[in-house]
Amino acid sequence: MKVRHLLLMGAALLALSCGHRLKDGEYTLTILSTNDVHGTWFDSTYVDSRVKKSLLAVNYYVDSVRVADGVENVVLLDVGDCLQGDNAAYYFNYVDTLSPHLFPRLLEYMGYDAVVWGNHDVETGHKVYDRVQRELNRVGIPFLAINAIRDDNGQSYFPPYKVLERGGLKVVVLGYENANIKAWLAEEVWSGMHFDRILSRVQQDVDAVRAREHPDVLIVGMHSGTGEGNGKNAESEALDVFNSVKGVDWVLCSHDHRPLVMDRDSIALINAGSHSRYLGHGRMRVKVEGGKVVSKQLEADLIPVDARKADPEMREAFQKDYEAVKAFTLREVGQLNVALRTRDAYKGMSDYVNLIHTVCLQCQPARLSIAAPLTFNGNVETGPLVFNDLFTLYPFENQLYVISMTGDEIRRYLEASYDRWINTVSKPGDHVLRIVPRDNTRTQQQGWSFYGLSYNFDSVAGLHYTVDVTKPRGERVVITALADGTPFQPEATYHVAVTSYRASGGGTLLDEVGIDTDRIDERVVARYPEIRTLIYEWLVKDPTIDREEISNPAILGTWKFVPESLAVKGIEDDMRLLFGE
C-alpha cells in the first residue's frame, strides 16, 4: 500500500478518535482546491504524443503538500465542473454506463474530501450525476449544493455541507451550485429542483451552520464566477460573498476559468482557474487561548501545475481506463473530404458551421437553423474522421430543440447576434470584428480577443441575407428570401432549430428579442438528442462529408458581410490580430 494511502487512513482514524476540544496553542491548516477540471483526468490528447495538464499531475503536487504539511492538516476540495469537457468524461458518462464511473474512483484515489456541484455537472443529466453521487457516497465524498432545492420537500438535493476534522480543528465546508442554471440548461436535466441566489441566503446558511456545528474553520465552496462584487450577476457571485459575508474564512470560487487569489483581514478567496492548470493553495494559522480561537492568519496562492509531473503510480492504477477511452476516441466514424476550421466561422459562412446547420435542418419540422461556433480555434483536417474529432466540432452536450419564431423575431435575433460580433465601421482600418486588446496580469494573457463570447455569434441557415458592417444595430440585417427562394415574411411563423442552451436563455439572445425563455415550452414543437449525437447518427447513415453536401444554398441559403470592399479586408486584418497569422 502506498505511503500516501496509509497517511490518509491515519487521518481518517484521527478524525474519528478526536473529540472537538481545542487545546491552547497554534494550529495549521492547508486548503488545496481544484475547479473546472472539465474531465482533464488523463494527460494524453489521445491522438498524438502531446501531454496536457491533468489530475495525474495535480496529484503529484497534492502528495507533495501532504508530505510537507502532514496529511492530517490538509483539506482537498473540488469546486465543480468535473463531469464534462473531455473524452474520458463522455465515455464514462454515456458509453460505458455499467462499469464503476471513473470520476469517483479518481477522487477516492486522490483523497478528496468533497466536491461542489457545477453547472456542467448538471448538464450531464440525472442519469449521470445521480449515478456519480451514489458512487461518491460509497467512498464518503459528497457532491455539495445547499442552494439546489428539491421541489417536493424544500430540502437540498445534495448534502448542504461536510464536516471534517483536521489537525485538531473542526472544519465545515458549505457548497453552492451556480444560481443561473435555469438560464442555460433544459429543465429536464435538473427536473425536480430549483436554484436559489447564493448571495440571498449565504449569511443565513453560515449563521445556521455555525450555530449547529460550532466549526473552527468555515469554507464556502461556490461554483460561481468571481464577478464584480456589485450583487447584480447571478452567474458570478463570489466577490459579493467575499465582500459581505461574516463568519467565513475561505471562499473557493470557480466557473469563469480565471485564476485569482485575494485576501483581506480574516478571509481569503481562491479561484484555481480551469483544466488542471493550477492547484489552489491556502495556508492558515490558528491561535487558541483559553480554549478559544483568538486569531487567524491566512495566506493564499496558486501552484502552477507542470504536465510532466504526472504521477506514474496513479497512471498505472488507471491505465486500463485510459486504454478504453483511447480506443473509443480513435474509433473511425467517417471520411472528411473538406477541412473544417472553426475560426473561419468569424469571417462569414464556413464549412464548419454549415455542417452543424445541415445536420440540424434534418430534424423535422425545422425549416431554419440557428448555430454558433462552439470551439474557438479548432481544426479537423481531411481524411479519416475519428470520434475525437466530434469533440472538436461540438464540445458540449447541448440538445436540439425546434421552436416557433416569427419572421420579425428572427430578424431582430440576427441583429442582436451580429451586434455582439461586429462593430459599425466607416472607413478602412476600422475594426470590423468586435475585438479588444488584452494585457491581463490576472489571466496572464496578452494580444487581442473578442469583446464578447464567440459561442454567442449565431448565424441562421435557411435564409438569404446580408449583414452591413457600416450600419448600426437594427439596420444591419437585410433578409431577401428563404433558402428555396420563397419570400421571407416578418409576420409568418417559422420552425427554427436551436440548442437547448439557447432555448433555456443562454446568451440572453432570445430574451433580447422578447421571447420569454421561462415559458419556452410554449414554443417548443420538437426535441432531439445531443447535437454531437445527431452528427454521429448522420455519419452512420452517410459516412462521407463533402463540401457540396454541407453547402447546398437551396438548403442553407446564403449570408455575407457587406460591403465586401470594406468588410473582407477589415476582417482579415482583425483575424491576424486574433490568431497571429
Side-chain angles (χ1 to χ4, degrees), residues 163-381:
V163 179
L164 306 166
E165 194 88 27
R166 287 293 185 273
L169 297 170
K170 188 174 185 180
V171 181
V172 169
V173 184
L174 264 170
Y176 290 87
E177 174 58 277
N178 198 292
N180 213 36
I181 296 295
K182 190 174 183 179
W184 303 317
L185 301 177
E187 185 173 357
E188 59 226 54
V189 302
W190 48 271
S191 60
M193 69 187 91
H194 60 276
F195 303 89
D196 290 345
R197 280 288 301 266
I198 299 173
L199 187 60
S200 69
R201 60 173 297 155
V202 62
Q203 190 64 64
Q204 179 181 348
D205 293 335
V206 168
D207 293 344
V209 168
R210 281 204 165 276
R212 184 181 304 116
E213 303 291 350
H214 305 289
D216 304 310
V217 179
L218 199 149
I219 302 168
V220 167
M222 48 193 299
H223 191 79
S224 189
T226 304
E228 302 297 329
N230 57 18
K232 296 179 180 180
N233 189 348
E235 181 178 353
S236 300
E237 301 187 86
L239 269 185
D240 299 325
V241 173
F242 179 75
N243 290 334
S244 64
V245 71
K246 307 298 182 185
V248 171
D249 301 295
W250 298 91
V251 174
L252 308 181
C253 63
S254 52
H255 183 66
D256 58 17
H257 297 191
R258 297 177 178 177
L260 176 70
V261 293
M262 299 177 66
D263 61 79
R264 183 183 62 242
D265 301 326
S266 61
I267 187 170
L269 177 148
I270 299 176
N271 182 335
S274 70
H275 295 86
S276 301
R277 292 178 294 157
Y278 296 95
L279 177 65
H281 179 228
R283 295 289 303 276
M284 187 174 188
R285 294 174 177 82
V286 179
K287 186 175 183 180
V288 176
E289 292 180 355
K292 296 181 179 180
V293 174
V294 295
S295 68
K296 296 177 179 178
Q297 293 181 322
L298 287 74
E299 301 173 359
D301 63 358
L302 297 171
I303 300 174
V305 173
D306 185 341
R308 297 167 297 179
K309 297 285 189 179
D311 182 340
E313 292 187 42
M314 185 175 177
R315 184 198 304 282
E316 181 180 358
F318 296 99
Q319 185 66 24
K320 289 184 179 180
D321 300 291
Y322 166 75
E323 294 295 345
V325 174
K326 183 176 181 179
F328 167 75
T329 293
L330 298 181
R331 182 163 56 92
E332 192 169 319
V333 296
Q335 173 72 25
L336 187 62
N337 292 336
V338 53
L340 302 177
R341 299 203 321 167
T342 65
R343 69 168 72 171
D344 290 343
Y346 310 130
K347 299 188 290 185
M349 290 190 76
S350 68
D351 294 320
Y352 160 55
V353 177
N354 284 349
L355 169 63
I356 297 171
H357 281 313
T358 300
V359 171
C360 292
L361 285 172
Q362 305 297 311
C363 299
Q364 297 297 321
R367 190 171 187 182
L368 306 177
S369 168
I370 292 175
L374 297 188
T375 300
F376 177 72
N377 186 26
N379 189 27
V380 182
E381 296 292 348

Side-chain angles (χ1 to χ4, degrees), residues 86-97 99 101 131 321 324-329 391:
D86 185 86
N87 309 21
Y90 182 87
Y91 179 79
F92 282 97
N93 288 347
Y94 306 112
V95 180
D96 183 357
T97 59
S99 301
H101 199 289
R131 168 193 169 202
D321 300 291
V325 174
K326 183 176 181 179
F328 167 75
T329 293
F391 290 96

Side-chain angles (χ1 to χ4, degrees), residues 485-496:
T486 58
F488 177 79
Q489 299 175 334
E491 67 278 5
T493 297
Y494 298 96
H495 291 145
V496 185

